[in-house]
Amino acid sequence: MASAKFLEGDRTSPSQLRALIDPSKYEYVYDMNARKVEDVAPLAEMFVGKEQFKQYVFMSSAGVYMASEEMPHVETDPTDPQSRHVGKLESEQTLRSLGIPFCSFRPTYICGPQNYNPVERYFFERIAAGRPVCIPGHGQHLTGLGHVYDLSVAFCNVIGREQFTTGQVYNIQNTQAITFDGVAKAAAKAAGVDPSNVKIVHYNPDFYTFPKGKKAFPMRPQHFFTGITKAMKDLDWNPVYDSALAILEDSYQNDFVPLKESGGLKGDFECDDIILSGATSPPPSSLESMDNAATSAPEAAAAAAETGPKPEWMQSFDDEGRRLVKDAYKETKWMTDTTGTGRKMKDVRISRKNAPAAPAAAVDKKSVSYGDFTWS
């Protein structure tokens, strides 16, 4: 970075930008940190009509896509106007409306050294501390990872390829997708830990209330991965870090280990402790269909009741009742349908029912009843 010149100012102020930047001297703009139109427009407007200007390269996000039953996401998929990344989507539209040559990149979860978003660090920190890894849902949601090196190469490859890239958007990640459980296991391997020694706890995030401003998990509890064929073709680009394990191994050695040695880890497991205590599970009367919910929340709650304080909705269960619930869990299993959307083939719910006060138990492959509770 010795040859780089840093300019300091307010990017949302046209007057400051005009005082700092001579647009006639630039052929390319790489916009890495804009999140809304107010960030983009003042800078982009400076390059309207500039003949020497070749490309405005914008960092967007795959988070702009609308959730879909057909995966992977491709660049022509519908976008979500309610996305928390709607500012990036609107910025893409602004660049197009200005008529300047531009392209936009939509990465999924980018990992690697100096990652500001603690995606992989979430897994490494728990594995290093010998703690369970808490994962929302059934753990089989597929997600896309990419390495920052591969993203940077894709950016650089825009130069000289404007005939292909102008007006285009590109998905960026590696060529595969991996489940949340798979990320935990790959992170263990990258850290030199036997994956079989890592405990994974699944939970339904709707069962818990977490402290304001804290995220219990760094990824979306849904299928979230993209196709990258277009970027590979137009940019003559192939990911070097083309497996989750390769990405995580590099991130562990070049990001997590130095951060740990410098004392930079936060060691904040407050959300995990809430999940593991099971203390905030809702009463049975409020539990509805648990579509896209945790595979083992009922089982985890039953296990917690055997060793610690019982969640409110489990307080009237004795050992036999908890055993029946666990047996029913094993029988019903949480299965995904063939579309890969994560929807369950059967809904599972726990609810109160009108029943005699005297305990009565019955279990089959579809339901379990005990006292005035039923699970089906």
Side-chain angles (χ1 to χ4, degrees):
M1 299 294 289
S3 61
K5 182 179 180 181
F6 291 88
L7 305 176
E8 185 175 347
D10 181 358
R11 66 172 299 159
T12 67
S13 169
S15 60
Q16 287 195 36
L17 292 178
R18 285 194 297 269
L20 290 167
I21 298 172
D22 178 357
S24 66
K25 294 182 177 180
Y26 296 90
E27 295 179 331
Y28 297 89
V29 169
Y30 283 82
D31 193 342
M32 301 290 102
N33 64 358
R35 301 194 67 86
K36 54 187 185 297
V37 172
E38 292 80 1
D39 298 329
V40 172
L43 178 61
E45 287 169 354
M46 297 179 70
F47 296 92
V48 174
K50 301 300 180 183
E51 293 185 1
Q52 90 293 341
F53 187 69
K54 295 183 178 180
Q55 200 91 146
Y56 192 110
V57 183
F58 179 66
M59 173 76 86
S60 186
S61 169
V64 302
Y65 291 119
M66 186 172 289
S68 175
E69 294 185 345
E70 187 171 2
M71 299 294 284
H73 286 301
V74 294
E75 288 85 351
T76 53
D77 276 1
T79 52
D80 182 3
Q82 303 302 317
S83 164
R84 72 182 184 89
H85 294 290
V86 66
K88 287 184 174 290
L89 181 61
E90 292 172 345
S91 295
E92 290 181 357
Q93 295 164 353
T94 294
L95 290 169
R96 196 177 299 278
S97 68
L98 288 173
I100 64 172
F102 87 99
C103 64
S104 180
F105 285 75
R106 295 175 178 175
T108 52
Y109 294 113
I110 298 300
C111 305
Q114 300 183 22
N115 194 355
Y116 74 95
N117 187 13
V119 174
E120 63 271 48
R121 195 180 310 151
Y122 173 89
F123 298 91
F124 291 142
E125 193 163 5
R126 283 146 184 82
I127 291 166
R131 293 180 60 94
V133 178
C134 297
I135 293 177
H138 42 60
Q140 298 306 301
H141 285 120
L142 288 162
T143 199
L145 303 179
H147 194 280
V148 65
Y149 171 83
D150 290 321
L151 175 61
S152 64
V153 171
F155 279 150
C156 292
N157 284 8
V158 170
I159 296 173
R161 293 184 173 85
E162 298 81 24
Q163 71 272 30
F164 304 115
T165 63
T166 298
Q168 301 301 313
V169 296
Y170 295 103
N171 294 331
I172 297 291
Q173 60 163 82
N174 71 344
T175 58
Q176 298 175 308
I178 186 170
T179 65
F180 288 166
D181 283 5
V183 176
K185 294 171 184 176
K189 290 180 182 178
V193 174
D194 185 342
S196 65
N197 292 331
V198 175
K199 182 179 181 181
I200 296 174
V201 174
H202 299 131
Y203 67 97
N204 181 351
D206 293 337
F207 278 30
Y208 301 91
T209 301
F210 299 110
K212 186 176 181 179
K214 287 192 175 183
K215 293 174 65 174
F217 191 70
M219 301 177 180
R220 299 165 178 79
Q222 66 183 61
H223 293 313
F224 181 66
F225 60 100
T226 63
I228 58 172
T229 301
K230 183 179 178 181
M232 293 172 72
K233 178 183 177 182
D234 286 4
L235 302 173
D236 189 23
W237 170 80
N238 287 280
V240 173
Y241 293 87
D242 200 25
S243 71
L245 182 58
I247 292 169
L248 293 170
E249 283 178 337
D250 182 78
S251 185
Y252 181 78
Q253 293 296 332
N254 295 307
D255 184 72
F256 183 77
V257 170
L259 190 65
K260 181 180 179 182
E261 291 176 347
S262 68
L265 297 179
K266 293 183 178 180
D268 184 353
F269 304 113
E270 184 177 5
C271 292
D272 300 51
D273 291 338
I274 290 172
I275 294 164
L276 296 171
S277 74
T280 57
S281 297
S285 57
S286 69
L287 286 178
E288 299 297 334
S289 170
M290 290 161 60
D291 188 29
N292 287 326
T295 60
S296 59
E299 185 182 31
E306 293 175 359
T307 58
K310 299 177 184 178
E312 180 184 350
W313 61 270
M314 287 288 289
Q315 288 178 1
S316 64
F317 276 46
D318 60 12
D319 291 343
E320 178 65 9
R322 291 193 296 276
R323 184 189 66 76
L324 289 171
V325 169
K326 293 175 73 174
D327 286 347
Y329 163 75
K330 293 174 183 177
E331 290 293 340
T332 55
K333 301 186 182 348
W334 288 56
M335 302 177 68
T336 57
D337 62 15
T338 56
T339 67
T341 63
R343 295 181 179 274
K344 307 303 173 292
M345 293 178 68
K346 62 178 68 178
D347 290 337
V348 180
R349 56 171 62 87
I350 302 174
S351 59
R352 289 191 183 279
K353 71 180 182 66
N354 296 323
V363 63
D364 58 32
K365 290 188 176 182
K366 295 182 179 178
S367 66
V368 60
S369 299
Y370 190 77
D372 65 341
F373 290 88
T374 185
W375 178 18
S376 61

